[in-house]
Amino acid sequence: MRIVDEWNHNEMKVTAFHMNGRYSLKLERNILEQWYKFRDGQFERLDELKAMLDEAFYEKVEAIFTEMLANRARLFESMESSHDFDEII
């Protein structure tokens, strides 16, 4: 798998990969990632794939990142509540 392009969209880093006729996209924001993989032949060239990445796509990706952050925060909240410490006076 090799990197064929990288760009930024708002606060996201987007990396396009190509291997054996298949493209993959990795979108990163902070410590979170989303991957989108495409089947062989769905896109013959990178510019075809990039043309499909409209603002609606990026808005949905942002919404998923927001939900991922909230879900991650809930995970840590449940961890914190399970740590009861003795009161020290």
Side-chain angles (χ1 to χ4, degrees):
M1 186 178 302
R2 65 185 178 92
I3 296 173
V4 292
D5 201 358
E6 291 180 325
W7 64 93
N8 292 320
H9 188 273
N10 297 334
E11 295 181 20
M12 289 182 289
K13 177 183 176 187
V14 184
T15 307
F17 297 88
H18 188 257
M19 185 176 86
N20 298 333
R22 296 179 183 170
Y23 286 98
S24 298
L25 286 179
K26 179 172 73 167
L27 297 103
E28 301 171 80
R29 189 175 86 185
N30 298 324
I31 62 171
L32 301 175
E33 296 180 351
Q34 293 181 48
W35 280 85
Y36 293 84
K37 297 178 181 182
F38 303 96
R39 293 186 175 163
D40 189 16
Q42 281 186 302
F43 299 100
E44 297 296 325
R45 297 183 326 272
L46 180 60
D47 61 338
E48 293 174 353
L49 172 57
K50 288 174 83 171
M52 297 296 293
L53 304 177
D54 60 3
E55 198 56 39
F57 172 80
Y58 287 116
E59 287 173 6
K60 184 63 176 174
V61 168
E62 287 285 349
I64 292 169
F65 274 132
T66 300
E67 183 59 30
M68 290 172 72
L69 283 169
N71 197 31
R72 185 175 182 275
R74 281 190 293 274
L75 174 68
F76 286 111
E77 286 173 5
S78 66
M79 287 175 56
E80 288 174 7
S81 65
S82 67
H83 295 296
D84 293 330
F85 296 102
D86 294 334
E87 184 177 338
I88 299 174
I89 52 174

